[in-house]
Amino acid sequence: MAARVVLELSAVERHYSQGDKALSILKGADFRLNAGQTVALVAPSGTGKSTLLHLAGLLERPDAGDVLINGRSCGTLGDEERTRVRRHEIGFVYQFHHLLPEFTAIENIMMPQLIGGLSKAEARERGAALLDYMRIGHRADHRPSELSGGEQQRVAIARAVANAPFVLLADEPTGNLDPETAGYVFEALKALVKQSGLAAMIATHNYDLARLMDRRVTIEDGQVVELD
């Protein structure tokens, strides 16, 4: 049985103006990511790593080509429908957790579910299950300021997958953590990907973590290139 492709970039191009010159970041780039896979994006700064994540997350539109989420073309979607896809089908994790400081851990995880239309009881039940899975269920009623850096990032990961997205995009999710905590957070993230069947693209400068992922890619001359 063929693996299901949940994220695809097809002949994607992205150009920016730099003074009176055009700067080409992606030049007909192709990329596919299957359900249940983790891929490390280890491109150096300035080669288009953030641009690739923004395009995959529908935060930017390509100048040419298409982005497909779970087999559906997003190239012609209007802004409202793109927002809906981002909200329900894509999860985001950043280097800084961006948790809402006035809410508890479980309330932070409940928030995207409530916005998505779930009842408070359903959102709380799923939030509690995710916190238990991330081994911080006992911290559910603590605010971000009362949590360690690793705990905050695990809450952020749980929040990112609360709406059961197809794709998880993470930009240096362990870059702010010490090596031991980073390793634990990454293992929790990888286990969650395998358990839920979503696909994850994780940008990182940490080659030790990159080697633990299913695939590694970089960006060379505007193309997404597989690494050994």
Side-chain angles (χ1 to χ4, degrees), residues 153-193:
Q153 199 64 314
R154 277 180 274 170
V155 173
I157 292 168
R159 179 182 60 183
V161 301
N163 278 335
F166 295 114
V167 179
L168 180 68
L169 302 173
D171 192 1
E172 297 288 350
T174 61
N176 235 22
L177 305 175
D178 65 80
E180 183 178 355
T181 304
Y184 186 83
V185 168
F186 173 75
E187 286 300 331
L189 173 58
K190 187 175 179 180
L192 193 58
V193 169

Side-chain angles (χ1 to χ4, degrees), residues 102-112 114 124 140 143:
E102 66 271 29
F103 294 106
T104 64
I106 195 166
E107 288 169 345
N108 268 278
I109 299 170
M110 290 171 62
M111 197 64 64
L114 296 174
R124 181 171 290 277
R143 288 184 170 82

Side-chain angles (χ1 to χ4, degrees), residues 106 109-111 113-115 117-130 162:
I106 195 166
I109 299 170
M110 290 171 62
M111 197 64 64
Q113 300 178 77
L114 296 174
I115 293 171
L118 256 65
S119 70
K120 199 169 183 178
E122 290 174 312
R124 181 171 290 277
E125 182 179 359
R126 178 159 175 78
L130 284 167

Side-chain angles (χ1 to χ4, degrees), residues 5 18 89 119 155:
V5 178
Q18 193 175 60
E89 301 181 23
S119 70
V155 173

